[in-house]
Amino acid sequence: MELEGRSAGGVAGGPAAGPGRSPGESALLDGWLQRGVGRGAGGGEAGACRPPVRQDPDSGPDYEALPAGATVTTHMVAGAVAGILEHCVMYPIDCVKTRMQSLQPDPAARYRNVLEALWRIIRTEGLWRPMRGLNVTATGAGPAHALYFACYEKLKKTLSDVIHPGGNSHIANGAAGCVATLLHDAAMNPAEVIKQRMQMYNSPYHRVTDCVRAVWQNEGAGAFYRSYTTQLTMNVPFQAIHFMTYEFLQEHFNPQRRYNPGSHVLSGACAGAVAAAATTPLDVCKTLLNTQESLALNSNITGHITGMASAFRTVYQVGGVTAYFRGVQARVIYQIPSTAIAWSVYEFFKYLITKRQEEWRAGK
């Protein structure tokens, strides 16, 4: 337990047990004083010391300053748990979003809103149909988010120390988010391709292995990264907006940067909504590249759609300007709880692991 406000004087050898003081109390006081040496403001008359002042228990340990040597592991574990939980909880809405972004959907797959789409999918295709492909998503989300949060936290601190020593830099937050996205998408893109093909209406794939085998044999290994550049084109601005908004809101809702679940949920939800709405056109193009939707391919003379420019042209040819905002409602509805879950779970596990590390170090 952290203690503050002691004077350095009068601690040599520690106080002896005296009248009214048990040996146990003396030992406890000795420990307090020994741990407090050098932490006070200094000074004090010889042989005198102020009573130890305990840190507010509600504040917990300083979880933003993690113990040396454990920082990367802590961020990776917390990030992996947050990523898996986020994708698992929100997967049915993600399935609806993928279908609503279809450029020329089958008449049986035209939906008015998210709830109506989810109800019709369950009623006509089965209770577990919205969850098809969840296993590959969870498998990819763990390592992807571990790299994502660990890279972000490390770069955020490094760049902030350079740009704004001792403070928080929005430029550093945005730049760290952009670089972290490169690692996240490299790990997640193949899973994203498989997931979205299994989510489409009348998908011929019932198992992940069937989809992987078909894509590999028919389109080659490059198909798993066909949308990577567009994914980055979407996710780099998305994450820059996302992290800058989150950190900005944290400055207002949680200026002391303590573990505060309410502020993490609110900041994450708002950051996700703003970033999702701003980058919907890029998400539509990414979905087209991942699914290679057959009806859209008929309007594209080059066969397979490759690259962002080709995807943008195809979207415009098929549906005009409004097609770039297909599924925006589902995307925002998905992203609000998604980022709220991700940040709250991540901050909770970061706090929990840090607290256990501090307790272990204090007990050594």
Side-chain angles (χ1 to χ4, degrees):
M1 181 178 297
E2 296 286 346
L3 300 170
E4 301 173 340
R6 278 85 61 185
S7 296
V11 299
R21 180 186 300 150
S22 68
E25 290 174 336
S26 296
L28 179 60
L29 184 56
D30 282 348
W32 282 344
L33 293 173
Q34 288 169 6
R35 293 178 62 192
V37 173
R39 292 191 183 186
E45 296 181 3
C49 66
R50 287 181 293 171
V53 179
R54 302 192 184 193
Q55 182 178 345
D56 180 3
D58 294 334
S59 67
D62 182 5
Y63 84 116
E64 287 291 340
L66 300 181
T71 304
V72 174
T73 301
T74 299
H75 290 314
M76 292 187 77
V77 171
V81 174
I84 292 172
L85 186 58
E86 168 200 351
H87 283 281
C88 289
V89 171
M90 298 306 301
Y91 194 81
I93 305 301
D94 185 60
C95 176
V96 171
K97 176 183 73 72
T98 297
R99 292 197 181 191
M100 293 184 76
Q101 288 179 336
S102 175
L103 297 180
Q104 293 182 345
D106 185 281
R110 298 179 189 271
Y111 312 112
R112 290 191 299 271
N113 55 60
V114 174
L115 291 179
E116 190 252 354
L118 192 58
W119 167 246
R120 281 178 55 190
I121 292 172
I122 293 173
R123 182 168 54 85
T124 60
E125 302 175 51
L127 177 63
W128 297 107
R129 181 63 182 88
M131 305 301 290
R132 186 180 294 177
L134 174 61
N135 52 346
V136 71
T137 300
T139 301
H145 280 74
L147 293 171
Y148 173 68
F149 278 108
C151 179
Y152 171 71
E153 294 281 7
K154 177 65 176 178
L155 286 178
K156 178 182 75 170
K157 183 179 186 307
T158 301
L159 294 176
S160 290
D161 289 343
V162 173
I163 299 173
H164 188 188
N168 180 43
S169 168
H170 293 305
I171 296 176
N173 298 333
C178 293
V179 176
T181 301
L182 299 177
L183 297 177
H184 173 275
D185 288 1
M188 195 67 187
N189 208 85
E192 191 79 8
V193 172
I194 302 303
K195 175 201 75 173
Q196 291 197 308
R197 295 200 182 205
M198 298 185 72
Q199 287 174 333
M200 293 297 286
Y201 179 75
N202 273 344
S203 171
Y205 312 112
H206 295 278
R207 293 186 301 179
V208 169
T209 52
D210 295 337
C211 187
V212 172
R213 187 181 303 111
V215 173
W216 185 283
Q217 292 175 350
N218 299 331
E219 302 174 48
F224 294 107
Y225 281 93
R226 185 178 288 133
S227 65
Y228 182 60
T229 54
T230 300
Q231 181 101 333
L232 289 177
T233 304
M234 177 190 73
N235 280 346
V236 166
F238 175 91
Q239 298 300 350
I241 296 170
H242 169 204
F243 281 115
M244 291 172 71
T245 304
Y246 179 82
E247 297 289 354
F248 172 79
L249 292 174
Q250 281 290 286
E251 286 185 348
H252 290 270
F253 298 142
N254 188 17
Q256 294 180 327
R257 296 306 180 100
R258 293 175 176 172
Y259 175 62
N260 185 333
S263 74
H264 299 317
V265 170
L266 182 59
S267 299
C270 293
V274 172
T279 57
T280 295
L282 294 167
D283 193 43
V284 171
C285 294
K286 182 208 73 173
T287 298
L288 176 61
L289 285 168
N290 279 343
T291 61
Q292 296 291 303
E293 191 181 351
S294 58
L295 289 174
L297 284 173
N298 292 335
S299 64
N300 187 285
I301 59 174
T302 61
H304 287 305
I305 302 170
T306 58
M308 183 180 65
S310 177
F312 262 96
R313 283 195 304 270
T314 303
V315 172
Y316 184 78
Q317 289 170 1
V318 173
V321 174
T322 57
Y324 291 114
F325 293 92
R326 286 182 180 270
V328 63
Q329 179 195 42
R331 178 165 164 77
V332 172
I333 289 175
Y334 168 84
Q335 207 64 55
I336 288 175
S338 177
T339 48
I341 291 170
W343 276 111
S344 59
V345 172
Y346 171 69
E347 298 285 7
F348 169 73
F349 274 91
K350 187 169 74 170
Y351 168 79
L352 184 65
I353 294 170
T354 304
K355 185 177 180 180
R356 293 291 178 266
Q357 289 173 335
E358 290 293 335
E359 290 174 350
W360 179 78
R361 293 174 69 217
K364 288 182 65 175

